[in-house]
mmCIF file of all heavy atoms in Angstrom:
data_model
loop_
_atom_site.group_PDB
_atom_site.id
_atom_site.type_symbol
_atom_site.label_atom_id
_atom_site.label_comp_id
_atom_site.label_asym_id
_atom_site.label_seq_id
_atom_site.Cartn_x
_atom_site.Cartn_y
_atom_site.Cartn_z
ATOM 1 N N GLN Y 286 25.749 18.283 -17.641
ATOM 2 C CA GLN Y 286 26.356 19.519 -18.115
ATOM 3 C C GLN Y 286 25.338 20.440 -18.775
ATOM 4 O O GLN Y 286 25.433 21.642 -18.681
ATOM 5 C CB GLN Y 286 27.478 19.211 -19.110
ATOM 6 C CG GLN Y 286 28.575 18.344 -18.532
ATOM 7 C CD GLN Y 286 29.304 19.019 -17.380
ATOM 8 O OE1 GLN Y 286 29.517 20.214 -17.402
ATOM 9 N NE2 GLN Y 286 29.660 18.253 -16.370
ATOM 10 N N GLU Y 287 24.375 19.846 -19.479
ATOM 11 C CA GLU Y 287 23.395 20.647 -20.191
ATOM 12 C C GLU Y 287 22.214 20.963 -19.286
ATOM 13 O O GLU Y 287 21.861 20.186 -18.415
ATOM 14 C CB GLU Y 287 22.903 19.888 -21.420
ATOM 15 C CG GLU Y 287 23.987 19.623 -22.437
ATOM 16 C CD GLU Y 287 23.472 18.818 -23.616
ATOM 17 O OE1 GLU Y 287 22.243 18.764 -23.816
ATOM 18 O OE2 GLU Y 287 24.298 18.253 -24.322
ATOM 19 N N SER Y 288 21.588 22.085 -19.534
ATOM 20 C CA SER Y 288 20.414 22.468 -18.766
ATOM 21 C C SER Y 288 19.209 21.644 -19.210
ATOM 22 O O SER Y 288 19.009 21.398 -20.395
ATOM 23 C CB SER Y 288 20.121 23.956 -18.968
ATOM 24 O OG SER Y 288 19.011 24.334 -18.211
ATOM 25 N N VAL Y 289 18.425 21.219 -18.248
ATOM 26 C CA VAL Y 289 17.196 20.484 -18.504
ATOM 27 C C VAL Y 289 16.076 21.509 -18.561
ATOM 28 O O VAL Y 289 15.963 22.368 -17.684
ATOM 29 C CB VAL Y 289 16.941 19.459 -17.369
ATOM 30 C CG1 VAL Y 289 15.603 18.781 -17.541
ATOM 31 C CG2 VAL Y 289 18.070 18.456 -17.285
ATOM 32 N N GLU Y 290 15.260 21.437 -19.579
ATOM 33 C CA GLU Y 290 14.171 22.401 -19.714
ATOM 34 C C GLU Y 290 13.151 22.238 -18.588
ATOM 35 O O GLU Y 290 12.811 23.182 -17.905
ATOM 36 C CB GLU Y 290 13.479 22.235 -21.075
ATOM 37 C CG GLU Y 290 12.309 23.166 -21.300
ATOM 38 C CD GLU Y 290 12.697 24.635 -21.348
ATOM 39 O OE1 GLU Y 290 13.822 24.961 -21.747
ATOM 40 O OE2 GLU Y 290 11.849 25.460 -20.980
ATOM 41 N N GLU Y 291 12.668 21.012 -18.410
ATOM 42 C CA GLU Y 291 11.607 20.759 -17.451
ATOM 43 C C GLU Y 291 12.002 19.596 -16.546
ATOM 44 O O GLU Y 291 12.306 18.515 -17.039
ATOM 45 C CB GLU Y 291 10.338 20.419 -18.229
ATOM 46 C CG GLU Y 291 9.076 20.562 -17.484
ATOM 47 C CD GLU Y 291 7.886 20.412 -18.420
ATOM 48 O OE1 GLU Y 291 7.854 19.452 -19.215
ATOM 49 O OE2 GLU Y 291 7.009 21.270 -18.359
ATOM 50 N N LEU Y 292 12.004 19.833 -15.264
ATOM 51 C CA LEU Y 292 12.363 18.797 -14.294
ATOM 52 C C LEU Y 292 11.145 18.492 -13.438
ATOM 53 O O LEU Y 292 10.601 19.379 -12.773
ATOM 54 C CB LEU Y 292 13.522 19.275 -13.412
ATOM 55 C CG LEU Y 292 14.100 18.270 -12.440
ATOM 56 C CD1 LEU Y 292 14.676 17.062 -13.164
ATOM 57 C CD2 LEU Y 292 15.171 18.915 -11.595
ATOM 58 N N TRP Y 293 10.703 17.249 -13.482
ATOM 59 C CA TRP Y 293 9.559 16.811 -12.684
ATOM 60 C C TRP Y 293 10.084 16.199 -11.406
ATOM 61 O O TRP Y 293 11.029 15.408 -11.426
ATOM 62 C CB TRP Y 293 8.738 15.793 -13.459
ATOM 63 C CG TRP Y 293 8.000 16.398 -14.617
ATOM 64 C CD1 TRP Y 293 8.517 16.699 -15.844
ATOM 65 C CD2 TRP Y 293 6.638 16.785 -14.647
ATOM 66 N NE1 TRP Y 293 7.546 17.258 -16.632
ATOM 67 C CE2 TRP Y 293 6.373 17.309 -15.926
ATOM 68 C CE3 TRP Y 293 5.613 16.730 -13.710
ATOM 69 C CZ2 TRP Y 293 5.133 17.781 -16.293
ATOM 70 C CZ3 TRP Y 293 4.358 17.196 -14.091
ATOM 71 C CH2 TRP Y 293 4.135 17.715 -15.357
ATOM 72 N N VAL Y 294 9.458 16.543 -10.285
ATOM 73 C CA VAL Y 294 9.852 16.046 -8.975
ATOM 74 C C VAL Y 294 8.657 15.297 -8.386
ATOM 75 O O VAL Y 294 7.617 15.891 -8.114
ATOM 76 C CB VAL Y 294 10.264 17.194 -8.028
ATOM 77 C CG1 VAL Y 294 10.741 16.641 -6.703
ATOM 78 C CG2 VAL Y 294 11.324 18.074 -8.678
ATOM 79 N N LEU Y 295 8.815 13.998 -8.214
ATOM 80 C CA LEU Y 295 7.772 13.156 -7.640
ATOM 81 C C LEU Y 295 8.123 12.936 -6.179
ATOM 82 O O LEU Y 295 9.151 12.346 -5.865
ATOM 83 C CB LEU Y 295 7.711 11.840 -8.407
ATOM 84 C CG LEU Y 295 6.625 10.849 -8.064
ATOM 85 C CD1 LEU Y 295 5.249 11.474 -8.218
ATOM 86 C CD2 LEU Y 295 6.747 9.622 -8.949
ATOM 87 N N SER Y 296 7.276 13.433 -5.277
ATOM 88 C CA SER Y 296 7.625 13.420 -3.858
ATOM 89 C C SER Y 296 6.508 12.879 -2.985
ATOM 90 O O SER Y 296 5.329 13.152 -3.213
ATOM 91 C CB SER Y 296 7.968 14.838 -3.408
ATOM 92 O OG SER Y 296 8.165 14.879 -2.016
ATOM 93 N N ASP Y 297 6.903 12.117 -1.981
ATOM 94 C CA ASP Y 297 5.971 11.666 -0.950
ATOM 95 C C ASP Y 297 6.329 12.300 0.392
ATOM 96 O O ASP Y 297 5.856 11.880 1.434
ATOM 97 C CB ASP Y 297 5.948 10.149 -0.847
ATOM 98 C CG ASP Y 297 7.315 9.556 -0.570
ATOM 99 O OD1 ASP Y 297 8.291 10.312 -0.371
ATOM 100 O OD2 ASP Y 297 7.426 8.313 -0.546
ATOM 101 N N GLY Y 298 7.191 13.309 0.357
ATOM 102 C CA GLY Y 298 7.602 13.996 1.577
ATOM 103 C C GLY Y 298 8.764 13.328 2.291
ATOM 104 O O GLY Y 298 9.234 13.815 3.307
ATOM 105 N N VAL Y 299 9.263 12.226 1.750
ATOM 106 C CA VAL Y 299 10.378 11.487 2.343
ATOM 107 C C VAL Y 299 11.640 11.801 1.547
ATOM 108 O O VAL Y 299 11.583 12.027 0.345
ATOM 109 C CB VAL Y 299 10.090 9.964 2.314
ATOM 110 C CG1 VAL Y 299 11.245 9.173 2.881
ATOM 111 C CG2 VAL Y 299 8.806 9.660 3.075
ATOM 112 N N GLN Y 300 12.761 11.834 2.225
ATOM 113 C CA GLN Y 300 14.065 12.059 1.574
ATOM 114 C C GLN Y 300 14.159 13.429 0.904
ATOM 115 O O GLN Y 300 14.757 13.574 -0.170
ATOM 116 C CB GLN Y 300 14.366 10.955 0.562
ATOM 117 C CG GLN Y 300 14.587 9.593 1.158
ATOM 118 C CD GLN Y 300 15.952 9.456 1.780
ATOM 119 O OE1 GLN Y 300 16.877 10.147 1.407
ATOM 120 N NE2 GLN Y 300 16.084 8.552 2.727
ATOM 121 N N LEU Y 301 13.596 14.449 1.523
ATOM 122 C CA LEU Y 301 13.699 15.799 0.960
ATOM 123 C C LEU Y 301 15.141 16.278 0.832
ATOM 124 O O LEU Y 301 15.469 16.957 -0.149
ATOM 125 C CB LEU Y 301 12.864 16.785 1.765
ATOM 126 C CG LEU Y 301 11.349 16.626 1.600
ATOM 127 C CD1 LEU Y 301 10.613 17.574 2.528
ATOM 128 C CD2 LEU Y 301 10.928 16.836 0.173
ATOM 129 N N PRO Y 302 16.055 15.945 1.763
ATOM 130 C CA PRO Y 302 17.447 16.374 1.563
ATOM 131 C C PRO Y 302 18.057 15.811 0.272
ATOM 132 O O PRO Y 302 18.810 16.505 -0.412
ATOM 133 C CB PRO Y 302 18.160 15.840 2.800
ATOM 134 C CG PRO Y 302 17.097 15.783 3.851
ATOM 135 C CD PRO Y 302 15.852 15.364 3.099
ATOM 136 N N LEU Y 303 17.717 14.574 -0.077
ATOM 137 C CA LEU Y 303 18.224 13.991 -1.323
ATOM 138 C C LEU Y 303 17.657 14.737 -2.526
ATOM 139 O O LEU Y 303 18.387 15.077 -3.460
ATOM 140 C CB LEU Y 303 17.852 12.507 -1.408
ATOM 141 C CG LEU Y 303 18.150 11.831 -2.750
ATOM 142 C CD1 LEU Y 303 19.646 11.822 -3.033
ATOM 143 C CD2 LEU Y 303 17.580 10.419 -2.772
ATOM 144 N N LEU Y 304 16.360 15.009 -2.503
ATOM 145 C CA LEU Y 304 15.752 15.757 -3.609
ATOM 146 C C LEU Y 304 16.381 17.140 -3.735
ATOM 147 O O LEU Y 304 16.647 17.616 -4.832
ATOM 148 C CB LEU Y 304 14.245 15.868 -3.419
ATOM 149 C CG LEU Y 304 13.451 14.562 -3.516
ATOM 150 C CD1 LEU Y 304 11.985 14.816 -3.221
ATOM 151 C CD2 LEU Y 304 13.630 13.917 -4.869
ATOM 152 N N LYS Y 305 16.625 17.791 -2.607
ATOM 153 C CA LYS Y 305 17.235 19.119 -2.630
ATOM 154 C C LYS Y 305 18.628 19.061 -3.246
ATOM 155 O O LYS Y 305 18.991 19.902 -4.063
ATOM 156 C CB LYS Y 305 17.307 19.690 -1.215
ATOM 157 C CG LYS Y 305 17.863 21.086 -1.183
ATOM 158 C CD LYS Y 305 17.841 21.667 0.206
ATOM 159 C CE LYS Y 305 18.363 23.097 0.181
ATOM 160 N NZ LYS Y 305 18.389 23.708 1.496
ATOM 161 N N LEU Y 306 19.406 18.060 -2.880
ATOM 162 C CA LEU Y 306 20.748 17.897 -3.441
ATOM 163 C C LEU Y 306 20.683 17.705 -4.951
ATOM 164 O O LEU Y 306 21.435 18.338 -5.701
ATOM 165 C CB LEU Y 306 21.455 16.715 -2.778
ATOM 166 C CG LEU Y 306 22.852 16.392 -3.285
ATOM 167 C CD1 LEU Y 306 23.810 17.527 -2.945
ATOM 168 C CD2 LEU Y 306 23.341 15.093 -2.691
ATOM 169 N N LEU Y 307 19.790 16.849 -5.415
ATOM 170 C CA LEU Y 307 19.651 16.631 -6.854
ATOM 171 C C LEU Y 307 19.209 17.902 -7.569
ATOM 172 O O LEU Y 307 19.748 18.250 -8.613
ATOM 173 C CB LEU Y 307 18.655 15.494 -7.124
ATOM 174 C CG LEU Y 307 19.117 14.091 -6.748
ATOM 175 C CD1 LEU Y 307 17.962 13.107 -6.882
ATOM 176 C CD2 LEU Y 307 20.297 13.646 -7.588
ATOM 177 N N LEU Y 308 18.240 18.610 -6.985
ATOM 178 C CA LEU Y 308 17.750 19.844 -7.607
ATOM 179 C C LEU Y 308 18.845 20.898 -7.736
ATOM 180 O O LEU Y 308 18.913 21.621 -8.725
ATOM 181 C CB LEU Y 308 16.588 20.412 -6.803
ATOM 182 C CG LEU Y 308 15.263 19.679 -6.953
ATOM 183 C CD1 LEU Y 308 14.273 20.153 -5.897
ATOM 184 C CD2 LEU Y 308 14.702 19.875 -8.347
ATOM 185 N N GLU Y 309 19.697 20.982 -6.719
ATOM 186 C CA GLU Y 309 20.781 21.970 -6.742
ATOM 187 C C GLU Y 309 21.841 21.640 -7.783
ATOM 188 O O GLU Y 309 22.537 22.520 -8.265
ATOM 189 C CB GLU Y 309 21.431 22.068 -5.364
ATOM 190 C CG GLU Y 309 20.537 22.732 -4.331
ATOM 191 C CD GLU Y 309 21.099 22.658 -2.927
ATOM 192 O OE1 GLU Y 309 22.086 21.924 -2.697
ATOM 193 O OE2 GLU Y 309 20.529 23.316 -2.041
ATOM 194 N N GLN Y 310 21.971 20.373 -8.129
ATOM 195 C CA GLN Y 310 23.044 19.963 -9.032
ATOM 196 C C GLN Y 310 22.597 19.745 -10.474
ATOM 197 O O GLN Y 310 23.426 19.488 -11.331
ATOM 198 C CB GLN Y 310 23.704 18.693 -8.490
ATOM 199 C CG GLN Y 310 24.403 18.946 -7.173
ATOM 200 C CD GLN Y 310 25.123 17.720 -6.666
ATOM 201 O OE1 GLN Y 310 25.462 16.827 -7.418
ATOM 202 N NE2 GLN Y 310 25.354 17.672 -5.380
ATOM 203 N N ILE Y 311 21.308 19.849 -10.713
ATOM 204 C CA ILE Y 311 20.796 19.668 -12.073
ATOM 205 C C ILE Y 311 20.356 21.031 -12.609
ATOM 206 O O ILE Y 311 19.378 21.597 -12.129
ATOM 207 C CB ILE Y 311 19.593 18.698 -12.097
ATOM 208 C CG1 ILE Y 311 20.007 17.336 -11.547
ATOM 209 C CG2 ILE Y 311 19.055 18.573 -13.517
ATOM 210 C CD1 ILE Y 311 18.836 16.408 -11.302
ATOM 211 N N PRO Y 312 21.075 21.569 -13.580
ATOM 212 C CA PRO Y 312 20.642 22.848 -14.147
ATOM 213 C C PRO Y 312 19.298 22.651 -14.848
ATOM 214 O O PRO Y 312 19.158 21.760 -15.679
ATOM 215 C CB PRO Y 312 21.741 23.206 -15.145
ATOM 216 C CG PRO Y 312 22.709 22.092 -15.158
ATOM 217 C CD PRO Y 312 22.266 21.042 -14.207
ATOM 218 N N HIS Y 313 18.308 23.450 -14.476
ATOM 219 C CA HIS Y 313 16.989 23.327 -15.093
ATOM 220 C C HIS Y 313 16.276 24.667 -15.084
ATOM 221 O O HIS Y 313 16.604 25.548 -14.310
ATOM 222 C CB HIS Y 313 16.149 22.265 -14.358
ATOM 223 C CG HIS Y 313 15.922 22.558 -12.906
ATOM 224 N ND1 HIS Y 313 16.876 22.355 -11.944
ATOM 225 C CD2 HIS Y 313 14.838 23.046 -12.257
ATOM 226 C CE1 HIS Y 313 16.389 22.702 -10.759
ATOM 227 N NE2 HIS Y 313 15.160 23.131 -10.922
ATOM 228 N N ARG Y 314 15.288 24.784 -15.995
ATOM 229 C CA ARG Y 314 14.545 26.036 -16.115
ATOM 230 C C ARG Y 314 13.224 25.979 -15.359
ATOM 231 O O ARG Y 314 12.845 26.916 -14.700
ATOM 232 C CB ARG Y 314 14.291 26.357 -17.587
ATOM 233 C CG ARG Y 314 15.562 26.684 -18.336
ATOM 234 C CD ARG Y 314 15.281 26.995 -19.791
ATOM 235 N NE ARG Y 314 14.080 27.777 -20.006
ATOM 236 C CZ ARG Y 314 14.056 29.089 -20.249
ATOM 237 N NH1 ARG Y 314 15.174 29.756 -20.300
ATOM 238 N NH2 ARG Y 314 12.927 29.712 -20.448
ATOM 239 N N VAL Y 315 12.500 24.879 -15.494
ATOM 240 C CA VAL Y 315 11.177 24.749 -14.898
ATOM 241 C C VAL Y 315 11.152 23.537 -13.979
ATOM 242 O O VAL Y 315 11.663 22.477 -14.329
ATOM 243 C CB VAL Y 315 10.092 24.590 -15.998
ATOM 244 C CG1 VAL Y 315 8.719 24.396 -15.382
ATOM 245 C CG2 VAL Y 315 10.098 25.769 -16.941
ATOM 246 N N GLU Y 316 10.547 23.721 -12.835
ATOM 247 C CA GLU Y 316 10.424 22.653 -11.838
ATOM 248 C C GLU Y 316 8.942 22.373 -11.626
ATOM 249 O O GLU Y 316 8.176 23.282 -11.339
ATOM 250 C CB GLU Y 316 11.006 23.185 -10.531
ATOM 251 C CG GLU Y 316 11.642 22.206 -9.648
ATOM 252 C CD GLU Y 316 12.373 22.938 -8.533
ATOM 253 O OE1 GLU Y 316 13.530 23.340 -8.748
ATOM 254 O OE2 GLU Y 316 11.768 23.120 -7.464
ATOM 255 N N ARG Y 317 8.540 21.126 -11.782
ATOM 256 C CA ARG Y 317 7.141 20.758 -11.570
ATOM 257 C C ARG Y 317 7.092 19.675 -10.487
ATOM 258 O O ARG Y 317 7.687 18.628 -10.638
ATOM 259 C CB ARG Y 317 6.510 20.252 -12.847
ATOM 260 C CG ARG Y 317 6.589 21.282 -13.959
ATOM 261 C CD ARG Y 317 5.645 20.963 -15.069
ATOM 262 N NE ARG Y 317 5.847 21.827 -16.207
ATOM 263 C CZ ARG Y 317 5.316 23.024 -16.346
ATOM 264 N NH1 ARG Y 317 4.554 23.520 -15.403
ATOM 265 N NH2 ARG Y 317 5.536 23.728 -17.429
ATOM 266 N N TRP Y 318 6.377 19.966 -9.413
ATOM 267 C CA TRP Y 318 6.265 19.049 -8.279
ATOM 268 C C TRP Y 318 4.957 18.275 -8.350
ATOM 269 O O TRP Y 318 3.902 18.851 -8.612
ATOM 270 C CB TRP Y 318 6.309 19.822 -6.968
ATOM 271 C CG TRP Y 318 7.675 20.277 -6.596
ATOM 272 C CD1 TRP Y 318 8.364 21.329 -7.124
ATOM 273 C CD2 TRP Y 318 8.525 19.705 -5.613
ATOM 274 N NE1 TRP Y 318 9.582 21.441 -6.527
ATOM 275 C CE2 TRP Y 318 9.707 20.456 -5.588
ATOM 276 C CE3 TRP Y 318 8.394 18.622 -4.734
ATOM 277 C CZ2 TRP Y 318 10.762 20.169 -4.733
ATOM 278 C CZ3 TRP Y 318 9.440 18.331 -3.876
ATOM 279 C CH2 TRP Y 318 10.612 19.096 -3.885
ATOM 280 N N ILE Y 319 5.043 16.997 -8.078
ATOM 281 C CA ILE Y 319 3.863 16.153 -7.942
ATOM 282 C C ILE Y 319 3.968 15.475 -6.588
ATOM 283 O O ILE Y 319 4.973 14.829 -6.276
ATOM 284 C CB ILE Y 319 3.808 15.101 -9.052
ATOM 285 C CG1 ILE Y 319 3.710 15.815 -10.383
ATOM 286 C CG2 ILE Y 319 2.637 14.155 -8.837
ATOM 287 C CD1 ILE Y 319 4.112 14.990 -11.530
ATOM 288 N N HIS Y 320 2.944 15.653 -5.784
ATOM 289 C CA HIS Y 320 2.935 15.108 -4.425
ATOM 290 C C HIS Y 320 1.980 13.923 -4.352
ATOM 291 O O HIS Y 320 0.818 14.048 -4.738
ATOM 292 C CB HIS Y 320 2.503 16.185 -3.434
ATOM 293 C CG HIS Y 320 3.384 17.386 -3.477
ATOM 294 N ND1 HIS Y 320 4.575 17.445 -2.809
ATOM 295 C CD2 HIS Y 320 3.259 18.562 -4.138
ATOM 296 C CE1 HIS Y 320 5.145 18.619 -3.049
ATOM 297 N NE2 HIS Y 320 4.375 19.300 -3.854
ATOM 298 N N THR Y 321 2.471 12.810 -3.852
ATOM 299 C CA THR Y 321 1.615 11.643 -3.711
ATOM 300 C C THR Y 321 0.863 11.673 -2.393
ATOM 301 O O THR Y 321 -0.075 10.923 -2.203
ATOM 302 C CB THR Y 321 2.433 10.342 -3.802
ATOM 303 O OG1 THR Y 321 3.410 10.337 -2.762
ATOM 304 C CG2 THR Y 321 3.110 10.228 -5.146
ATOM 305 N N ASP Y 322 1.273 12.549 -1.505
ATOM 306 C CA ASP Y 322 0.584 12.734 -0.242
ATOM 307 C C ASP Y 322 -0.470 13.828 -0.452
ATOM 308 O O ASP Y 322 -0.347 14.650 -1.345
ATOM 309 C CB ASP Y 322 1.596 13.172 0.833
ATOM 310 C CG ASP Y 322 1.010 13.189 2.230
ATOM 311 O OD1 ASP Y 322 -0.154 12.786 2.389
ATOM 312 O OD2 ASP Y 322 1.711 13.607 3.154
ATOM 313 N N GLY Y 323 -1.484 13.840 0.382
ATOM 314 C CA GLY Y 323 -2.545 14.829 0.243
ATOM 315 C C GLY Y 323 -2.082 16.258 0.473
ATOM 316 O O GLY Y 323 -2.625 17.193 -0.081
ATOM 317 N N THR Y 324 -1.047 16.446 1.284
ATOM 318 C CA THR Y 324 -0.556 17.789 1.564
ATOM 319 C C THR Y 324 0.891 17.908 1.127
ATOM 320 O O THR Y 324 1.740 17.125 1.550
ATOM 321 C CB THR Y 324 -0.656 18.108 3.066
ATOM 322 O OG1 THR Y 324 0.013 17.086 3.794
ATOM 323 C CG2 THR Y 324 -2.098 18.165 3.516
ATOM 324 N N PRO Y 325 1.197 18.852 0.260
ATOM 325 C CA PRO Y 325 2.580 19.019 -0.205
ATOM 326 C C PRO Y 325 3.527 19.361 0.942
ATOM 327 O O PRO Y 325 3.168 20.090 1.857
ATOM 328 C CB PRO Y 325 2.501 20.191 -1.172
ATOM 329 C CG PRO Y 325 1.069 20.371 -1.476
ATOM 330 C CD PRO Y 325 0.296 19.795 -0.329
ATOM 331 N N VAL Y 326 4.711 18.804 0.864
ATOM 332 C CA VAL Y 326 5.744 19.110 1.844
ATOM 333 C C VAL Y 326 6.914 19.712 1.089
ATOM 334 O O VAL Y 326 7.671 19.007 0.444
ATOM 335 C CB VAL Y 326 6.211 17.836 2.587
ATOM 336 C CG1 VAL Y 326 7.298 18.171 3.578
ATOM 337 C CG2 VAL Y 326 5.049 17.153 3.270
ATOM 338 N N ILE Y 327 7.007 21.039 1.125
ATOM 339 C CA ILE Y 327 8.135 21.738 0.511
ATOM 340 C C ILE Y 327 8.665 22.705 1.558
ATOM 341 O O ILE Y 327 7.925 23.567 2.030
ATOM 342 C CB ILE Y 327 7.718 22.522 -0.748
ATOM 343 C CG1 ILE Y 327 7.094 21.591 -1.788
ATOM 344 C CG2 ILE Y 327 8.920 23.244 -1.343
ATOM 345 C CD1 ILE Y 327 6.582 22.319 -3.015
ATOM 346 N N PRO Y 328 9.924 22.560 1.941
ATOM 347 C CA PRO Y 328 10.488 23.505 2.914
ATOM 348 C C PRO Y 328 10.383 24.937 2.415
ATOM 349 O O PRO Y 328 10.533 25.208 1.220
ATOM 350 C CB PRO Y 328 11.951 23.069 3.013
ATOM 351 C CG PRO Y 328 11.945 21.638 2.577
ATOM 352 C CD PRO Y 328 10.859 21.539 1.539
ATOM 353 N N LEU Y 329 10.106 25.857 3.313
ATOM 354 C CA LEU Y 329 9.896 27.256 2.938
ATOM 355 C C LEU Y 329 11.076 27.857 2.187
ATOM 356 O O LEU Y 329 10.888 28.682 1.300
ATOM 357 C CB LEU Y 329 9.595 28.098 4.178
ATOM 358 C CG LEU Y 329 8.236 27.840 4.828
ATOM 359 C CD1 LEU Y 329 8.087 28.690 6.083
ATOM 360 C CD2 LEU Y 329 7.100 28.112 3.859
ATOM 361 N N ASP Y 330 12.304 27.442 2.506
ATOM 362 C CA ASP Y 330 13.458 28.030 1.823
ATOM 363 C C ASP Y 330 13.591 27.558 0.374
ATOM 364 O O ASP Y 330 14.406 28.063 -0.364
ATOM 365 C CB ASP Y 330 14.748 27.771 2.604
ATOM 366 C CG ASP Y 330 15.091 26.300 2.718
ATOM 367 O OD1 ASP Y 330 14.167 25.457 2.721
ATOM 368 O OD2 ASP Y 330 16.289 25.991 2.820
ATOM 369 N N TRP Y 331 12.776 26.598 -0.067
ATOM 370 C CA TRP Y 331 12.808 26.137 -1.453
ATOM 371 C C TRP Y 331 11.838 26.898 -2.322
ATOM 372 O O TRP Y 331 11.974 26.948 -3.529
ATOM 373 C CB TRP Y 331 12.435 24.664 -1.547
ATOM 374 C CG TRP Y 331 13.397 23.734 -0.932
ATOM 375 C CD1 TRP Y 331 14.389 24.023 -0.043
ATOM 376 C CD2 TRP Y 331 13.449 22.340 -1.136
ATOM 377 N NE1 TRP Y 331 15.035 22.884 0.316
ATOM 378 C CE2 TRP Y 331 14.489 21.834 -0.337
ATOM 379 C CE3 TRP Y 331 12.717 21.463 -1.921
ATOM 380 C CZ2 TRP Y 331 14.805 20.480 -0.304
ATOM 381 C CZ3 TRP Y 331 13.040 20.129 -1.881
ATOM 382 C CH2 TRP Y 331 14.080 19.640 -1.079
ATOM 383 N N ILE Y 332 10.820 27.474 -1.718
ATOM 384 C CA ILE Y 332 9.767 28.131 -2.480
ATOM 385 C C ILE Y 332 10.314 29.428 -3.085
ATOM 386 O O ILE Y 332 10.998 30.193 -2.449
ATOM 387 C CB ILE Y 332 8.552 28.419 -1.561
ATOM 388 C CG1 ILE Y 332 7.980 27.092 -1.060
ATOM 389 C CG2 ILE Y 332 7.498 29.230 -2.297
ATOM 390 C CD1 ILE Y 332 6.888 27.234 -0.032
ATOM 391 N N ASN Y 333 10.024 29.634 -4.352
ATOM 392 C CA ASN Y 333 10.414 30.835 -5.102
ATOM 393 C C ASN Y 333 11.929 31.016 -5.202
ATOM 394 O O ASN Y 333 12.400 32.123 -5.358
ATOM 395 C CB ASN Y 333 9.801 32.094 -4.462
ATOM 396 C CG ASN Y 333 8.298 32.047 -4.460
ATOM 397 O OD1 ASN Y 333 7.692 31.553 -5.411
ATOM 398 N ND2 ASN Y 333 7.685 32.522 -3.406
#
């Protein structure tokens, strides 16, 4: 119910639909992504 100030997203590029669902349902102000793969995988419609 409460907004989260900072939400960290740890991603290996797998299960992006699950991450997207969680991100949409968690009210938050700042999103910080950490990629364990050498190249970040973020769908274009998520950026900005």
Side-chain angles (χ1 to χ4, degrees):
Q286 301 297 323
E287 297 178 18
S288 181
V289 174
E290 178 65 29
E291 199 171 48
L292 186 61
W293 290 80
V294 183
L295 185 57
S296 174
D297 57 4
V299 178
Q300 293 283 335
L301 289 175
L303 172 64
L304 293 176
K305 183 176 182 181
L306 178 66
L307 290 172
L308 285 168
E309 289 172 349
Q310 295 183 23
I311 301 170
H313 60 283
R314 293 180 40 101
V315 178
E316 211 170 275
R317 302 197 188 275
W318 284 77
I319 298 160
H320 302 278
T321 60
D322 189 4
T324 54
V326 179
I327 302 176
L329 290 177
D330 63 331
W331 293 17
I332 297 174
N333 299 323

